[in-house]
Each structure stands twice: as structure tokens, then as C-alpha cells.
Amino acid sequence: IGSSDKDCTSCPPGKVLYDKQCLDSCPNGTFFSDQQETCILNNCTVGDVVVVGSEGTRVIAKDVFKFIERGAITAFSPTLGHQGTIVTISGFGLRGGGNNVSQVFLGGQLARLMFENDTLVIVEAVSSGSSSSNEIILIGDEGGSVKTEGWTYVSPARIIGFNPSSGQVGTVVTIQGINMLMGSST
């Protein structure tokens, strides 16, 4: 949103703001800051990796680990579903510090990844079974993860009958089935 595509002041969902442009994801060397709502240069501190053995011996790799801002899921919809449900997940740092999201789990079940960038992920639930977990977990290609709670698997609906079987505009049709609300209250 702005006077031109090279003079943006904000971006629509699924896009990130960088250098007055709306992009699919933050460029290399930057990360999305939820506080500033834009991609900023990654000036994070680089640190050492130190392993200390039980006898006090140490192994050090100098300046090899970079600290990054933790990602977060800020919204997802819908909050319940079954096999075939399309779920939209939004937030920042969804790639867990990596280059892409490689796996998504809904309620402990692997979902089919349809689209991903650092602020938006779209998946399809491929399981119709119940789960003991209610977490949504995104795993990046470099092993970082972002997660939240609130997903629920529900049994799919099944139509067992309807009447009449034909009609014109305005015809009232009565549909009978099992689990027709699919977890909803209305």
C-alpha cells in the first residue's frame, strides 16, 4: 500500500515490507521484525559454539553461530478440520531461520505443504483421524521450528439423505447426515 509499487508504506497479508517494496519474503541478510513490521538488516551477534566434556575439556568453534529472532505464529484459520481442510497460517519468522518451511504438522499429523514464505504458510490436512496433540508445528529446512496450540481434528461429515432430490430456485431441501456441524456450534 503506497503511492507506487516502489513506495509502499505497508503490505497485504502474505507479503513483507522491505526497502519500500512488498516482497514474498525477507531477502537474505535480513529478517522480519514483528515490532517494526518490516524486514531489517540482520545485525545479530555471531557467537562461539563451546562443548564442555564431563572432565572439563573444551572444544570451541569461533564465530560460527548466529542468533536470530524467534519466529511466531500470530494467526491461523480455521481452528478445526479434517482431511482436505485448507489451513492458512500467518506470522513472522515462520521458516525458523532457514530458507523455507520443509514440514508442517497439524495435531501431530504431517500436512501437505501448498505454499510457504516467512510470513504465510498454507497447508492441507491429510489426516482425518483424531490426535492427542493440538499443536501446529512448522519446521524449517535448517531445523528451526515455530509452533502454537489450538488446532483440533474433527470427524468428517457424511450426508445420508436429502429430500426432495430435485427442485427449482426457492425449493427447501432437507439434508440429513452425521456430524454435519463438524465441530462447529452452528
Side-chain angles (χ1 to χ4, degrees), residues 37-183:
E37 297 184 346
T38 186
C39 299
I40 59 175
L41 288 176
N42 195 351
N43 293 324
C44 300
T45 304
V46 175
D48 300 341
V49 173
V50 180
V51 178
V52 180
S54 60
E55 300 294 320
T57 56
R58 299 167 64 101
V59 177
I60 300 173
K62 289 276 204 196
D63 297 328
V64 295
F65 189 82
K66 188 175 218 174
F67 295 93
I68 59 172
E69 183 177 15
R70 181 186 303 260
I73 296 170
T74 56
F76 61 94
S77 180
T79 59
L80 51 82
H82 53 76
Q83 182 177 7
T85 301
I86 305 300
V87 181
T88 302
I89 304 163
S90 57
F92 59 91
L94 298 181
R95 292 175 168 166
N99 298 308
N100 62 315
V101 174
S102 60
Q103 293 181 311
V104 178
F105 292 87
L106 299 174
Q109 307 293 320
L110 185 62
R112 184 175 72 84
L113 187 59
M114 300 173 68
F115 174 84
E116 67 83 26
N117 67 30
D118 213 30
T119 61
L120 180 70
V121 174
I122 301 172
V123 297
E124 177 184 6
V126 296
S127 174
S128 58
S130 62
S131 173
S132 60
S133 170
N134 70 344
E135 290 183 323
I136 294 177
I137 302 173
L138 311 177
I139 300 176
D141 63 334
E142 293 190 18
S145 65
V146 180
K147 66 181 177 178
T148 193
E149 295 183 350
W151 170 258
T152 303
Y153 270 108
V154 295
S155 299
R158 192 175 79 196
I159 296 173
I160 57 175
F162 57 95
N163 191 25
S165 61
S166 63
Q168 58 190 12
V169 172
T171 301
V172 175
V173 179
T174 302
I175 303 170
Q176 298 172 319
I178 298 169
N179 197 33
M180 295 299 285
L181 296 179
M182 295 181 284

